[in-house]
Amino acid sequence: MNQAASITWKSRWTFILAATGSAVGLGNIWKFPYITGENGGGAFVLVYLACILCIGIPVMIAEIMAGRAGRSNPIHSMLSLSRDAGGSRAWGVVGAVGMVAGLMTMMFYSVVAGWALEYVFQSASGSYSGAPAEEIEAHFGNLLSSDGQQFIWHSLFSLLTASVVAAGVTRGIGKAVEILMPLLLIFLLLLVGYSAINGNFKAGLHFMFDTDFSRLSGNAVLIAMGHAFFTLSLGMGAIMAYGAYFPGHASIGKTVLTIAALDTGIALMAGMAMFPLVFANDLTPGQGPGLMFVTLPIAFSNMSGGVFFGSLFFALVSIAALSSSISLIEPGVAWMEKRGWRRVPSTFLLGGIAWAGGVASIHYGAVFDALDYLTANIMLPIGGLLIALFVSWRLPRKVVLDETGMKGGPAFAAWYWLLRYIAPIGILIVFLHSLGLFSALGALF
Ligand code: TRP
């Protein structure tokens, strides 16, 4: 049965929670702090914020609009919108590549989520409480060098994801996020408070917000933009697939601002929880993917009640990862359903492919890195670029106006202009910049 035609979220608020559930995940709590650390801090954060504002938010509105107007999975939504506008069938490819990007993302995402699961149990066993920082650091290294351990946790997480997707989007997802998202927010606030008291908060803030552009490479700019797409779940049709369940006439603009503000706020809070502990414990901000897995257990190890809070926090991180990972698989499953497959076998087929890729990225670090880099920094921005061009240049302005529910005021004008010009040009400039084209030109003159 084609779910998309008949089911909508309970309310605009449930949509916000589900989309926020997709957006807020490992990208915010694990990836944002560590890539900020690797790319020198302040200037990187500023470029990231600019990308969210000028590219991410406009593209997100476009994706939700296309999903609601097309009322289907990304491929069929793109196809039917394009057909109605007299466009080419080739636009369906955007949805198809997006689905593949989702599976490829899942191939490293579930590995990291598996680490988080392992940390739930590790924290609960009390092995961090009172342990010295070096010992905690060593634990993460040990986990990474054990393929067997990672295999177990990655498989468990993949299974959890598949179970939720198999149960159906509105039933499985809507419920979970209503309770868990607020809880995660409260926990992060507590951790920032802890860091402010026990860490080197001033050094942490300086690192995150002092802008020194001399430390910003072309590649760092690309990573900041790629992360803006990644963290908002854009560029592969995930939000488009959710948009298909978006209730009738609710305004998309305000909804997106809420989601983006929550997502960005949570990422910044994660950074503010971790960097003060980095500087107080003589750790390096640029240590890479282990950042969260080292700094936070250090905080919990010294805290009273740390065993309890630590396990609960990593459980929340795992759940945030789960509410994101389902949106990596869902577009593909929705498409297979439309092609006449049943939901459960579709889920296990696509989930199985992603799981197998995950096993490869556990075994070969290079596969892990390549999947992460290729999806976030190349595939998502290109997907976002095409969606922006499609909505703002290919669809008639009138259709777009009707479908966004924005009434044609200045907010609509601003969005339309950002989508037509600023987002596409911005994406192209970042691509060229990362290829070193500008410095090459600079060297010429
Ligand atoms: N946004 C999620 C995070 O930050 C990851 C994610 C979920 C995603 N669905 C996506 C990324 C779709 C890109 C596309 O953890």
Side-chain angles (χ1 to χ4, degrees):
M1 193 190 72
N2 175 19
Q3 276 212 348
S6 51
I7 296 178
T8 55
W9 305 101
K10 258 194 319 205
S11 66
R12 188 178 80 104
W13 189 235
T14 325
F15 176 84
I16 291 185
L17 283 171
T20 309
S22 166
V24 175
L26 296 172
N28 306 63
I29 304 167
W30 163 71
K31 196 172 178 188
F32 172 75
Y34 105 70
I35 56 179
T36 298
E38 281 185 337
N39 290 289
F44 178 86
V45 174
L46 197 70
V47 174
Y48 155 79
L49 292 175
C51 290
I52 294 276
L53 213 61
C54 301
I55 303 176
I57 290 175
V59 170
M60 190 179 227
I61 296 176
E63 268 203 38
I64 297 177
M65 193 228 95
R68 177 163 75 176
R71 280 270 176 246
S72 191
N73 66 78
I75 297 182
H76 284 97
S77 287
M78 292 295 284
L79 280 176
S80 75
L81 288 175
S82 174
R83 174 168 21 82
D84 293 348
S88 147
R89 280 183 64 81
W91 286 106
V93 174
V94 177
V97 174
M99 273 172 27
V100 175
L103 292 185
M104 287 170 64
T105 304
M106 187 63 183
M107 292 174 187
F108 70 91
Y109 203 83
S110 63
V111 174
V112 181
W115 301 343
L117 278 180
E118 199 266 356
Y119 270 62
V120 177
F121 292 90
Q122 198 63 34
S123 314
S125 74
S127 58
Y128 294 136
S129 95
E134 302 79 56
E135 200 176 294
I136 291 174
E137 230 180 330
H139 175 76
F140 184 70
N142 291 340
L143 175 63
L144 282 199
S145 55
S146 164
D147 284 11
Q149 282 269 324
Q150 295 186 80
F151 176 86
I152 293 170
W153 298 108
H154 154 69
S155 303
L156 181 63
F157 185 81
S158 304
L159 201 62
L160 284 172
T161 304
S163 321
V164 180
V165 176
V169 168
T170 39
R171 253 191 307 165
I173 302 170
K175 276 276 167 317
V177 290
E178 270 173 47
I179 313 158
L180 300 167
M181 286 293 130
L183 205 59
L184 182 72
L185 200 68
I186 294 170
F187 254 75
L188 271 176
L189 272 173
L190 283 175
L191 277 175
V192 173
Y194 175 88
S195 254
I197 297 166
N198 300 296
N200 187 346
F201 204 56
K202 233 174 103 193
L205 288 188
H206 274 302
F207 180 74
M208 276 182 73
F209 298 109
D210 285 355
T211 46
D212 174 3
F213 280 98
S214 64
R215 293 161 79 172
L216 203 66
S217 65
N219 201 37
V221 176
L222 180 67
I223 292 172
M225 180 180 74
H227 189 64
F229 281 97
F230 185 85
T231 191
L232 292 175
S233 301
L234 299 176
M236 56 145 280
I239 291 295
M240 202 186 291
Y242 278 18
Y245 311 97
F246 195 85
H249 297 287
S251 149
I252 298 179
K254 261 192 245 138
T255 307
V256 168
L257 289 181
T258 313
I259 298 166
L262 283 169
D263 186 79
T264 309
I266 288 180
L268 292 176
M269 275 163 53
M272 287 192 279
M274 287 174 217
F275 288 116
L277 297 170
V278 164
F279 295 111
N281 289 287
D282 288 322
L283 302 168
T284 35
Q287 63 183 272
L291 187 64
M292 168 178 97
F293 294 100
V294 172
T295 52
L296 295 185
I298 289 177
F300 290 122
S301 74
N302 296 312
M303 217 182 268
S304 59
V307 172
F308 175 74
F309 287 127
S311 353
L312 197 58
F313 180 79
F314 279 107
L316 285 169
V317 171
S318 309
I319 292 159
L322 184 65
S323 67
S324 302
S325 63
I326 47 189
S327 73
L328 292 168
I329 307 276
E330 172 60 25
V333 171
W335 172 72
M336 288 184 69
E337 261 191 317
K338 175 102 177 179
R339 307 282 315 215
W341 283 64
R342 276 180 300 126
R343 189 163 188 90
V344 175
S346 320
T347 305
F348 281 90
L349 178 68
L350 297 184
I353 294 172
W355 172 81
V359 173
S361 69
I362 287 172
H363 195 68
Y364 303 101
V367 172
F368 181 105
D369 293 342
L371 286 167
D372 181 0
Y373 193 89
L374 194 67
T375 51
N377 303 334
I378 313 289
M379 294 174 86
L380 301 184
I382 290 180
L385 173 68
L386 292 172
I387 291 165
L389 293 176
F390 177 72
V391 169
S392 66
W393 291 94
R394 186 65 250 187
L395 295 184
R397 189 170 185 278
K398 177 162 178 334
V399 172
V400 176
L401 188 56
D402 287 348
E403 292 292 346
T404 47
M406 288 211 283
K407 311 253 178 14
F412 177 82
W415 167 68
Y416 203 59
W417 177 77
L418 282 171
L419 197 67
R420 282 195 102 158
Y421 302 105
I422 300 305
I425 294 172
I427 295 170
L428 286 178
I429 289 181
V430 174
F431 273 139
L432 295 179
H433 185 56
S434 73
L435 292 175
L437 219 68
F438 294 124
S439 36
L441 279 181
L444 271 181
F445 295 106

